[in-house]
Amino acid sequence: MTATSHRTIPSGQAIVDTEVDLVVVGSGTGLAAALTARELGLSVLVVEKSEYVGGSTARSGGALWLPASPVIAECGGLDPADRARSYLEDVVGESAPASRSTAYLDHVAATVEMLRRTTPMKLFWARDYADYHPERPGGSAAGRTCECRPLDTSVLGPYRKDLRPGLMEAALPMPTTGADYRWMNLVSRVPRKGLPTFIKRLAQGVGGLALGRRYVAGGQALAAGLFAGALRAGIPIWLNTSLIELISDDRGVTGAVVEHDGTRLTVTARRGVVLAAGGFDHNMDMRWQFQSPSLAANFSLGATSNTGDAIRAGQAAGADTALMDQSWWFPAVAPMPGSAPAVMLAERSLPGSFIVDQHGRRFANESTDYMSFGQRLLALEAAGTPVQTMWIVFDQQYRNSYVFAAELFPRMPIPKDWYAAGIAVRAESFTELADRMRVPNDEFSLTATRFNESAFAGEDPDFGRGRSAYDRYYGDPTVTPNPNLRPLVRGPFYAVKMVLSDLGTCGGLRADDRARVLRSDGSAIAGLYAIGNTAANAFGDKYPGAGATIAQGLVYGYIAARDAAGKT
């Protein structure tokens, strides 16, 4: 998909100095703020740095963590708010102010209802997608994650190509939700669930095209729904328009200077500015300064336009920052030269595989949530025992059974160019495999032997793989007694190199329970709000469940707009 030549949405608008009630910088979850403000009668302008609408939301899996929401209740779930509150209190702890979690929970239902009124999205509960820490007090093995049903992007009319492309563009139109992915990944193992899911989504995608409909799912559906809502509400969006600086006086922030096609313009904001321009995913100087000098350049899966502009503008206006060392870490398949890392989710949890470092040793529960996995890597680095290279090791049965890297279906051979690039190796024995991975043979053999002995018993005494309901969600239910463990006993064996990627950074401007940006002394900067990855994670250094990143952007967008409108 290529971008259109639209400068503005709707097209034909003049890009000149202007005055509105609320300026929203960023068109991902920032559209929730714009929709809320517009519904409350405010005039709104959205400025978007790139040529696309949607931000990292459009590149995401599209999950929404919505505890105690009407979506769960309507799908037959029971999730009392006090359980969710207990869970966040325990998981987040002191890594973020409790008021941030409380405000989030208090406004989830109202945000859902706002989205229902203002967008064509239809949400459903992804039952059994467990919280990331379901064994903690208040945690849920049934999960609190919701998704958007496949959505027809033809509702965007001439602006469909202005929607940011997804992270994975399928060769065939097949709108796949996260809930679908689980069973499609297991199609060769659980065909009674996998095959009907494949057929249903392929029929919807191909059949839709015959009717002039273009169905998408995941983050594409979510971003398209927000975009459609903005179009319906007549909210203007200026594309290719960068934030240069915030305008302030003794009252606080009163507007912004933006740049379009080399021309700087002043946008006056009577009620405030909402910064929703993502994190500093692709600003490597910031990442090396605040996170780790070992991070590879531009391995992030976040939108390439996320370079920390809004965070720096907020700092220049007196804002404090928090959690700058944190990201939504995401282990991925090492990229081919000139390409991005490949998405890797269920692969780490499936039986018949394990992950080793440059010493040939395991170092973590492979099935843990992706943020915790990344934090484990950085903790080892801080302790002076860094993981310099990672390999996921598996056997032929694994390769015959599961989808890998979203492109290799069961029994498909690993591409020859992966071997040529050193991303993959293959061998008939563990000894030979260790040599090709260039890890110590003796250590790797001990690791493989111990892993196999434990897997036979269905237990992982070293890292507890398979004990959590979250681990088991992406396991293989046909493997017992532990769906995450199976010994590797028959070659050929394979190893594929992994890297630490992320879905975006999650440290940023310090904000309060009204999304107001704070100074270092705790006072709020009047007229300035931060949401999404421009703000420090409302859940501190934790990821409570799938979709917590996008959901908090939507909910705090709703909160920010209401505060700007004087509705708190």
Side-chain angles (χ1 to χ4, degrees):
M1 182 186 291
T2 57
T4 69
S5 58
H6 294 135
R7 299 167 68 244
T8 66
I9 299 170
S11 62
Q13 299 177 69
I15 299 181
V16 296
D17 291 351
T18 191
E19 182 173 349
V20 294
D21 290 322
L22 191 69
V23 175
V24 178
V25 182
S27 65
T29 59
L31 291 183
L35 289 167
T36 303
R38 191 72 192 90
E39 192 177 39
L40 292 171
L42 302 188
S43 59
V44 186
L45 172 65
V46 177
V47 295
E48 166 57 47
K49 177 181 178 180
S50 76
E51 69 270 36
Y52 293 114
V53 172
S56 291
T57 299
R59 292 171 58 80
S60 73
L64 299 172
W65 193 70
L66 300 174
S69 72
V71 181
I72 295 175
E74 290 160 9
C75 292
L78 181 63
D79 187 32
D82 59 342
R83 280 188 58 84
R85 203 174 310 278
S86 296
Y87 176 64
L88 287 175
E89 287 174 356
D90 183 79
V91 169
V92 175
E94 297 182 359
S95 66
S99 59
R100 291 273 280 164
S101 292
T102 298
Y104 173 80
L105 289 174
D106 289 345
H107 291 87
V108 165
T111 302
V112 167
E113 296 305 334
M114 179 276 294
L115 293 172
R116 286 173 166 172
R117 290 191 303 270
T118 61
T119 78
M121 290 191 291
K122 297 185 184 301
L123 302 177
F124 71 95
W125 177 34
R127 186 190 302 265
D128 295 332
Y129 198 165
D131 287 343
Y132 286 169
H133 310 280
E135 288 74 37
R136 303 283 283 271
S140 174
R144 292 158 167 137
T145 294
C146 303
E147 292 189 67
C148 181
R149 295 192 185 280
L151 189 143
D152 176 15
T153 58
S154 64
V155 298
L156 300 177
Y159 304 107
R160 185 180 64 82
K161 289 187 177 180
D162 293 303
L163 177 68
R164 180 177 289 280
L167 186 59
M168 298 177 291
E169 294 291 303
L172 290 172
M174 192 183 302
T176 304
T177 68
D180 295 333
Y181 165 80
R182 180 191 186 190
W183 296 114
M184 291 168 74
N185 191 58
L186 292 167
V187 64
S188 73
R189 302 290 292 172
V190 192
R192 62 185 175 82
K193 289 196 173 183
L195 279 176
T197 303
F198 259 110
I199 293 168
K200 174 184 176 181
R201 294 309 184 199
L202 186 60
Q204 184 177 29
V206 175
L209 284 180
L211 298 173
R213 300 171 186 168
R214 297 175 181 272
Y215 287 103
V216 294
Q220 286 281 282
L222 185 57
L226 292 167
F227 190 3
L231 286 170
R232 188 163 68 190
I235 296 170
I237 303 172
W238 292 358
L239 297 176
N240 294 299
T241 303
S242 301
L243 173 66
I244 301 301
E245 63 181 352
L246 296 167
I247 302 170
S248 303
D249 61 18
D250 55 2
R251 296 169 297 169
V253 171
T254 59
V257 175
V258 299
E259 184 173 280
H260 179 88
D261 285 348
T263 300
R264 292 196 174 187
L265 306 141
T266 298
V267 182
T268 301
R270 291 182 290 266
R271 299 294 187 98
V273 175
V274 178
L275 300 178
F280 52 101
D281 318 355
H282 294 279
N283 185 322
M284 294 314 301
D285 286 338
M286 291 179 71
R287 301 204 69 166
W288 291 328
Q289 176 186 355
F290 293 111
Q291 297 183 334
S292 169
S294 69
L295 293 177
N298 297 315
F299 273 11
S300 176
L301 300 174
T304 55
S305 53
N306 293 347
T307 54
D309 307 1
I311 295 173
R312 294 196 305 274
Q315 288 179 294
D320 192 17
T321 58
L323 301 167
M324 295 292 280
D325 60 335
Q326 294 297 318
S327 288
W328 307 107
W329 303 111
F330 194 86
V333 176
M336 289 290 293
S339 299
V343 170
M344 188 179 198
L345 187 55
E347 291 89 340
R348 295 180 293 110
S349 294
L350 291 164
S353 69
F354 59 89
I355 297 172
V356 298
D357 61 12
Q358 70 274 12
H359 303 297
R361 305 178 193 137
R362 292 177 69 214
F363 54 87
N365 169 12
E366 294 89 344
S367 302
T368 193
D369 70 275
Y370 38 87
M371 186 172 184
S372 296
F373 190 96
Q375 289 174 333
R376 170 67 174 163
L377 291 175
L378 294 180
L380 289 169
E381 180 181 289
T385 55
V387 174
Q388 296 169 327
T389 58
M390 294 185 282
W391 296 87
I392 181 168
V393 177
F394 51 88
D395 60 11
Q396 188 64 52
Q397 183 178 335
Y398 176 101
R399 182 74 290 278
N400 291 346
S401 301
Y402 313 117
V403 178
F404 191 85
E407 63 177 279
L408 302 182
F409 287 89
R411 297 186 180 276
M412 284 179 63
I414 292 175
K416 291 181 180 179
D417 54 0
W418 286 25
Y419 295 111
I423 293 170
V425 295
R426 179 185 185 275
E428 294 298 324
S429 68
F430 283 135
T431 299
E432 186 183 358
L433 193 71
D435 290 340
R436 294 187 176 179
M437 287 191 289
R438 297 183 181 178
V439 302
N441 199 310
D442 291 347
E443 197 69 51
F444 181 69
S445 295
L446 287 173
T447 296
T449 298
R450 180 168 175 79
F451 178 84
N452 281 344
E453 290 174 352
S454 299
F456 268 119
E459 180 59 41
D460 177 16
D462 297 321
F463 300 104
R465 181 171 168 181
R467 292 177 190 168
S468 170
Y470 173 76
D471 292 5
R472 297 190 293 273
Y473 180 79
Y474 281 124
D476 183 342
T478 69
V479 173
T480 58
N482 188 326
N484 301 107
L485 293 174
R486 177 182 60 74
L488 291 68
V489 294
R490 183 179 300 173
F493 302 106
Y494 302 85
V496 172
K497 190 172 289 186
M498 296 171 57
V499 296
L500 180 59
S501 179
D502 59 78
L503 306 177
T505 57
C506 61
L509 302 179
R510 195 156 66 93
D512 68 6
D513 57 352
R514 291 159 59 182
R516 300 178 303 175
V517 173
L518 304 177
R519 301 181 180 89
S520 58
D521 64 4
S523 63
I525 300 174
L528 186 60
Y529 302 88
I531 67 170
N533 289 347
T534 301
N537 182 12
F539 307 120
D541 59 2
K542 298 299 189 297
Y543 204 156
T549 172
I550 297 174
Q552 70 173 287
L554 297 177
V555 171
Y556 268 100
Y558 174 83
I559 291 171
R562 286 184 60 82
D563 192 82
K567 298 294 184 180
T568 54

